[in-house]
Amino acid sequence: MDFANLASQLNAGTILPEGIVIITLLGVLIVDLIVGRASSRWIGYLAITGLLGSVVALYFQWDNSNPISFIGAFNADDLSIVFRGIVALSAVVTILMSIRYIEQTGTALAEFIAILLCATLGGMFVCGANDLVMIFISLEALSISSYLLTGYTKRDPRSNEAALKYLLIGAASTAVFLYGASLLYGLSGGETQLQAIAHGMSVANVGQSLGLVIALVFAIAGIGFKISAAPFHQWTPDVYEGAPTPVIAFLSVGSKAAGFGLAIRLLTSVFPLVTAEWKFVFTALAILSMVLGNVVALAQTSMKRMLAYSSIAQAGFVMIGLIAGTDAGYSSMIFYLLVYLFMNLCGFTCIILFSLRTGTDQIVEYSGLYQKDPLLTLALSISLLSLGGIPPLAGFFGKIYLFWAGWQAGLYGLVLLGLVTSVVSIYYYIRVVKMMVVKEPQEMSEVVKNYPEISWNLPGLRPLQVGLITTLIATSIAGILSNPLFTLANNSVTHTAILQPPSVALQNAKISAELYEQQ
């Protein structure tokens, strides 16, 4: 095989965005080695510049005529581009909110950013991985980096406990997912590429075999852990409470988006023969997630734990689009994750700012905050109301699109349950808003009475302010001016070959497998 032919089959240009992230990661490490702690004032901006450059590279790869690269191991189609963009943007906002927080904990900022970039890299590769080996390596890059970030503030016992729980449960879920992948490898006759696996299983006529069902269940267990869906959610509340707040902000958006990106690609490519079965399993997961997440959130006293259960519930809402299995269903998932990026990270930015100024995240301590910090009150109120689905904020249009797609697909019971649990969620979101805004001055909490004077001139607070205002504006206007996001979500689905009707998708899988064998 000559070099030109090898280069055309590798098609390495498709991973230019990831290449930019790798160069940024190396740049962060080298600068930190040369300059030392003095680099902490601007090393975050270096990482943000690289990530934004990666997003720009993704934009220029839109509608790529030849998205398959690395001999079928990576697929840079429009679907992967959107999910990779969500992961990269979540890392940008996370770095903005991390600089002051990490400095105040007394730990090194450069190492934190380097590990976060590793997690971002893993998440981006997961979204486009088209091969079992690449999926596993990418998942491990994301998972191991997440474990390290969770226990990064090693002087905090809660962070150590959260990291240990996350590691143990994560290792178990990885083992389960890997066993499911090995079953797929065996059932397909020794194939690792997703389309070749589907073709191999259709030729071997294993459509309803016990081995395929077990592989499906194990794969769903691995995905359920990543998206923190009940009953695979056990790690979520403890990790959200104990881990550094910027880390859980990234996990709640970046890791969840990567999990859903993997779910769409794996289920539509490998399991078209058992579509009814995986839809049934995800229906059960969606019901459990929506009910458990919203009901248990009512009893929480910590903002971080409340948002943990909220995150579980949000995963249940997004699964409605996955279960629908239509173009509108997948588009609604992407649209909701796009707006969830802004409204959830806006909420976490507010929690970080409040904890930096007061040292607590208890809900009761927010009483009367409007009297001392109107901007923080406004931003947190809008993000919580958007998460609850109050019009005309972005979350309202996201949920309407999801429920409409589910209703069109005949998921009447699931949509009605989603509507009921959304009403339940509004209660615990508005409870916080009411505490901040309605409380009389004499009912102000002791923490708010001793609230420090607001100053944005302290080191590291300017990036936090930029992140807060940016996510606040995006959350406020993304609902009213949602047409560009709707168009982006719809185009990413209609331009992606694997999201065709089952018969067409199976035919595409056979064609891809034949081309793969010829190579």
Side-chain angles (χ1 to χ4, degrees), residues 370-384:
Y370 176 74
Q371 309 288 335
K372 295 292 184 76
D373 198 339
L375 175 62
L376 180 57
T377 305
L378 174 66
L380 185 55
S381 299
I382 287 180
S383 67
L384 293 177

Side-chain angles (χ1 to χ4, degrees), residues 97 240 248-253 256 307 310-311 314 339-351 383 386-387 429 471 475:
M97 67 173 75
Y240 272 54
I248 60 175
F250 176 77
L251 293 178
S252 69
V253 178
K256 196 182 292 289
L307 286 181
S310 164
S311 174
Q314 301 291 343
V339 298
Y340 184 67
L341 162 71
F342 298 114
M343 58 190 182
N344 205 47
L345 292 182
C346 180
F348 275 111
T349 305
C350 295
I351 292 172
S383 67
S386 185
L387 284 167
Y429 289 131
T471 52
T475 304

Side-chain angles (χ1 to χ4, degrees), residues 408-423:
Q408 271 195 324
L411 307 175
Y412 307 121
L414 207 55
V415 171
L416 290 174
L417 180 64
L419 289 168
V420 171
T421 51
S422 289
V423 173

Side-chain angles (χ1 to χ4, degrees), residues 41-336:
R41 288 289 174 266
W42 53 272
I43 204 166
Y45 300 109
L46 172 64
I48 290 170
T49 303
L51 287 167
L52 291 177
S54 176
V55 174
V56 172
L58 285 170
Y59 171 79
F60 284 107
Q61 288 192 349
W62 188 259
D63 278 345
N64 187 0
S65 59
N66 185 21
I68 305 295
S69 58
F70 295 95
I71 321 179
F74 190 79
N75 191 346
D77 53 18
D78 290 354
L79 180 74
S80 80
I81 287 174
V82 172
F83 278 104
R84 289 149 73 196
I86 293 173
V87 174
L89 286 174
S90 66
V92 169
V93 182
T94 302
I95 292 174
L96 285 173
M97 67 173 75
S98 300
I99 296 173
R100 176 67 182 173
Y101 186 96
I102 296 300
E103 284 183 348
Q104 189 155 310
T105 62
T107 49
L109 179 63
E111 284 89 336
F112 178 86
I113 291 175
I115 300 171
L116 180 64
L117 289 175
C118 284
T120 306
L121 197 61
M124 292 175 73
F125 273 118
V126 165
C127 296
N130 201 46
D131 184 275
L132 290 179
V133 177
M134 185 167 230
I135 288 172
F136 178 70
I137 293 172
S138 305
L139 273 176
E140 285 304 284
L142 173 60
S143 299
I144 294 172
S145 302
S146 300
Y147 306 150
L148 293 173
L149 289 171
T150 302
Y152 193 73
T153 51
K154 51 185 178 291
R155 297 184 186 91
D156 184 358
R158 293 188 309 164
S159 180
N160 296 330
E161 181 186 352
L164 184 59
K165 287 181 179 178
Y166 195 16
L167 171 64
L168 293 175
I169 300 175
S173 75
T174 299
V176 168
F177 181 82
L178 188 59
Y179 188 71
S182 68
L183 282 173
L184 290 175
Y185 177 79
L187 291 169
S188 64
E191 300 288 353
T192 59
Q193 191 192 25
L194 300 187
Q195 286 78 14
I197 290 171
H199 176 59
M201 289 193 299
S202 66
V203 169
N205 195 23
V206 294
Q208 298 296 326
S209 70
L210 179 62
L212 181 59
V213 174
I214 294 174
L216 172 65
V217 172
F218 282 12
I220 290 175
I223 293 169
F225 170 80
K226 275 293 158 207
I227 62 177
S228 62
F232 308 106
H233 69 285
Q234 294 94 338
W235 62 275
T236 311
D238 293 326
V239 170
Y240 272 54
E241 187 175 28
T245 311
V247 174
I248 60 175
F250 176 77
L251 293 178
S252 69
V253 178
S255 182
K256 196 182 292 289
F260 276 114
L262 172 62
I264 294 175
R265 190 170 302 279
L266 191 63
L267 295 172
T268 55
S269 299
V270 178
F271 298 106
L273 300 174
V274 285
T275 300
E277 285 79 1
W278 68 253
K279 286 187 177 181
F280 174 78
V281 175
F282 269 101
T283 300
L285 297 186
I287 293 170
L288 280 172
S289 300
M290 288 188 288
V291 173
L292 184 141
N294 285 306
V295 171
V296 179
L298 293 170
Q300 301 307 309
T301 58
S302 162
M303 280 291 291
K304 289 165 74 172
R305 284 187 77 91
M306 188 191 82
L307 286 181
Y309 285 103
S310 164
S311 174
I312 296 167
Q314 301 291 343
F317 294 134
V318 178
M319 277 188 273
I320 294 176
L322 182 64
I323 297 161
T326 59
D327 283 0
Y330 297 129
S331 299
S332 65
M333 288 177 65
I334 294 169
F335 178 79
Y336 194 79

Side-chain angles (χ1 to χ4, degrees), residues 361-376:
D361 73 326
Q362 294 299 303
I363 295 174
V364 69
E365 302 296 352
Y366 283 77
S367 297
L369 183 61
Y370 176 74
Q371 309 288 335
K372 295 292 184 76
D373 198 339
L375 175 62
L376 180 57

